[in-house]
Amino acid sequence: MKTLFIGDTHGRDTWKKIIEAESDADKIIFLGDYFDSFDVPGVAQLHNFNEIVEFKKNSDKNSDKNSNKNSDKEIVLLFGNHDFQYMPGFTDTPYSGYQPGMAWQFRDAIQQNLEHLQMTHLHNNVLCSHAGISVEWVEKHFPNTIINDLESVSMLVDSINDHFKFKPNIFNFNGWDPYGNNTYQTPIWIRPDSLFKANKGSQLRELVVQIVGHTQVSNIFDSFKASDKAFGNKYFLIDAIASKGYLVLEDDVFTPKVI
């Protein structure tokens, strides 16, 4: 099985070239942040988001019609902080990059397609979210959770996604650091240093590999090497679309690539 991980698009359509180049991929996971860009017009960002959603919808339709599921691509669309800020009832505090002139259009597009979005996803032992899952945040909001195997992680993922639907305010910005560098920060806001620190010595770290975006890396290859050296490939930072980078998992091997 071949899986693609695509970081924060922020309105860029680079994902199309990636998918074309990796046409044999079975699964494609987008890590959120479809909106807010300093160099892509708001109308183009909106169009790009709608194309990503349509890509998922078409894949879902093909899967429903096809009895041979191995011939279909599974598309997973995660939610990021730059998507979250456009949703009333989620947060009342816009932050960096907020585009008031397009806010209503962005909000409407998200609301119309909220059923196709989720907060986190578990692929075998690979845990995907926009910024990362901190055990300190889990302990605060899911105090009865005991993480001791992959089944318990899967149950946690289901709970997090249910809260995204019914109690989304738990994902709001949390903590005192304006950059989000707190160990108890939410899965759409936590920064790498705090994520590593929060999960050090935890069962979650032992059980899963985390794939995250949110914090931009200038070079996907350097990021990959740093992860291997410091964390034994337990974390991959892949917010690298700006430099055309993405990550591939095939035959249990992670490979960074550029398009």
Side-chain angles (χ1 to χ4, degrees), residues 185-239:
Q185 188 59 268
T186 80
I188 59 172
W189 265 113
I190 193 168
R191 296 297 176 177
D193 288 347
S194 290
L195 179 67
F196 306 153
K197 183 178 179 181
N199 293 341
K200 185 177 181 180
S202 69
Q203 275 294 97
L204 184 66
R205 185 197 181 284
E206 296 303 314
L207 290 167
V208 302
V209 175
Q210 291 208 46
I211 311 290
V212 304
H214 185 52
T215 300
Q216 188 172 342
V217 296
S218 59
N219 185 304
I220 191 73
F221 298 107
D222 289 345
S223 176
F224 185 88
K225 291 176 183 176
S227 174
D228 184 23
K229 182 176 180 180
F231 303 107
N233 286 343
K234 278 293 186 176
Y235 299 94
F236 291 109
L237 313 181
I238 67 160
D239 180 4

Side-chain angles (χ1 to χ4, degrees), residues 71-125:
S71 66
D72 305 320
K73 297 183 189 300
E74 180 183 357
I75 314 301
V76 178
L77 306 183
L78 302 185
F79 211 64
N81 59 305
H82 283 279
D83 315 312
F84 188 87
Q85 69 173 336
Y86 289 102
M87 296 300 292
F90 285 21
T91 179
D92 296 322
T93 309
Y95 31 80
S96 173
Y98 185 76
Q99 300 183 17
M102 291 295 297
W104 185 88
Q105 292 95 323
F106 290 170
R107 181 184 307 131
D108 184 62
I110 295 170
Q111 286 180 317
Q112 294 296 324
N113 296 290
L114 204 56
E115 65 182 289
H116 301 294
L117 298 158
Q118 60 195 77
M119 188 57 64
T120 185
H121 178 76
L122 184 66
H123 172 72
N124 298 328
N125 70 325

